[in-house]
Amino acid sequence: MLVCCDLHTHSSCSDGSLSPADLAQAAAAKGVRYWALTDHDTVDGLREGAEAAARLGIVMIPGVEISVEDYENRPFHLLGLGIDAENPLLKSLCRRQTEKRRRRFLEICARLNHRGIGIDGQKLIESFRGAPGRVLIARTLVADKTVRSIEEAFAAYLGNSSGNALPFEKPDLDEAVRTIHEAGGLAFAAHPLSLNLNWDRTEIFLKEIRDRGVDGVEVAHSGSTVTRQRYVEAIARRLNLLISGGSDFHGEGKPQAVLGRLSNGKPIPLSFLPDLLKEKSCQENGKKV
Ligand code: AMP
Ligand code: ZN
Ligand code: FE
Ligand code: FE
């Protein structure tokens, strides 16, 4: 099997369906040799992920996906890769964001209950480890047969126009970048095409955030065609940004994102793994580069 990488995945510590250990196992089975666990706003799964990766003989790159302040009213996610999960500043930012997400989660559940949907947010959250998101509610609505799919849950109850996609306060870009750097990591703009800017404005956006300290951009992503990917890559090279690639795998409910694969089904090549991250993660895992 061709060796590949995947620098963007979610476990059940945010809104993925697999535990960190099961995710590591699934990644190894797909030929992923370099795997980053990048849960939303939490590092809670990294220890379990690292232990499983070590058992399986693959290299885990510790990561996080921080929701930062919107850019021109569009959700903006920043990936921190190669971070130290024990860094106090990073842990404190994640703890704050997790707390806000938990309050928001309960508030969304209360609103749904107002509409006659019986969902016990408190009970759900008590058994939940990590930072909860809307997908957890969507999964619950599928499980109790209120809707047939996650898509339907978003269309009917949780999408941005539903009135239930409650905002929560997010760190600004400067704080997020500073925190990732303080924790020894590199900061990458996640899935830049999901901001839906035209090409000129995508380049302006990437230049602006590079000038504010962002190190790289996620060029390969399962939500982007390989042709569009090439345009982003050309911009990244013009701006001297590092390049990364990941599937944004969430497990069940997001079948278009396949672990270790590009949108065309091919393995994500190691050219999407920056040398710096490769060297650092190999050293930390006691492996030859
Ligand atoms: P949250 O972080 O709680 O605001 O949830 C955002 C996440 O919800 C995104 O990262 C997506 O994975 C997921 N999401 C947003 N819109 C949809 C949708 N229409 N269908 C399925 N998943 C969605
Ligand atoms: Zn997610
Ligand atoms: Fe994201
Ligand atoms: Fe993601």
Side-chain angles (χ1 to χ4, degrees):
M1 198 180 346
L2 210 67
V3 166
C4 60
C5 66
D6 195 332
L7 304 190
H8 188 160
T9 66
H10 296 272
S11 77
S12 53
C13 287
S14 59
D15 53 5
S17 61
L18 299 180
S19 69
D22 289 348
L23 183 52
Q25 177 124 43
K30 285 279 192 183
V32 176
R33 179 166 300 164
Y34 297 90
W35 162 59
L37 174 57
T38 55
D39 277 316
H40 298 279
D41 296 322
T42 181
V43 291
D44 285 355
L46 292 179
R47 183 185 296 232
E48 180 185 320
E51 285 168 4
R55 279 197 303 275
L56 293 155
I58 66 172
V59 175
M60 189 192 81
I61 297 170
V64 64
E65 183 176 19
I66 301 178
S67 295
V68 295
E69 265 182 359
D70 289 359
Y71 179 86
E72 296 184 356
N73 293 320
R74 298 148 203 265
F76 175 15
H77 294 171
L78 192 67
L79 289 167
L81 295 174
I83 49 163
D84 167 12
E86 296 302 322
N87 177 271
L89 198 66
L90 176 64
K91 275 171 84 172
S92 134
L93 184 140
C94 287
R95 212 174 302 121
R96 272 198 322 275
Q97 293 316 105
T98 297
E99 194 41 50
K100 287 179 213 162
R101 278 182 171 277
R102 291 172 89 93
R103 280 202 297 272
R104 167 191 188 240
F105 180 91
L106 291 173
E107 176 65 29
I108 298 176
C109 290
R111 281 182 178 229
L112 293 180
N113 286 334
H114 229 79
R115 284 177 61 177
I117 295 179
I119 180 165
D120 190 341
Q122 193 61 46
K123 191 168 158 210
L124 268 175
I125 216 154
E126 271 164 20
S127 59
F128 185 79
R129 168 169 63 131
R134 281 179 282 162
V135 177
L136 179 61
I137 302 178
R139 283 216 177 87
T140 309
L141 298 180
V142 174
D144 69 14
K145 301 203 161 52
T146 304
V147 293
R148 271 163 302 182
S149 66
I150 297 215
E151 279 303 325
E152 194 184 327
F154 271 86
Y157 299 108
L158 298 162
N160 293 338
S161 52
S162 66
N164 295 323
L166 300 182
F168 59 102
E169 191 194 52
K170 304 181 177 95
D172 67 17
L173 178 65
D174 301 313
E175 183 187 358
V177 170
R178 207 178 334 112
T179 305
I180 290 169
H181 285 166
E182 186 77 26
L186 294 170
F188 290 77
H191 43 69
L193 297 184
S194 70
L195 274 77
N196 267 320
L197 302 164
N198 66 27
W199 289 116
D200 285 347
R201 286 172 69 214
T202 298
E203 181 147 0
I204 291 168
F205 160 66
L206 291 174
K207 181 173 184 313
E208 200 177 309
I209 64 171
R210 178 202 67 186
D211 292 344
R212 286 169 70 181
V214 170
D215 305 286
V217 55
E218 182 177 56
V219 166
H221 184 269
S222 61
S224 161
T225 64
V226 172
T227 310
R228 287 164 68 79
Q229 201 170 290
R230 282 200 200 100
Y231 281 102
V232 184
E233 185 163 355
I235 298 175
R237 296 211 187 278
R238 277 199 290 281
L239 296 175
N240 238 330
L241 282 160
L242 296 172
I243 283 167
S244 77
S247 64
D248 209 353
F249 177 78
H250 281 72
E252 268 167 44
K254 196 178 175 188
Q256 68 278 26
V258 181
L259 255 181
R261 300 292 180 267
L262 300 167
S263 58
N264 63 5
K266 299 215 166 111
I268 305 175
L270 296 190
S271 53
F272 289 108
L273 171 67
D275 288 342
L276 259 170
L277 281 176
K278 189 177 180 184
E279 286 154 21
K280 187 169 190 272
S281 54
C282 284
Q283 267 162 19
E284 282 165 6
N285 283 268
K287 286 212 158 53
K288 280 210 299 264
V289 178

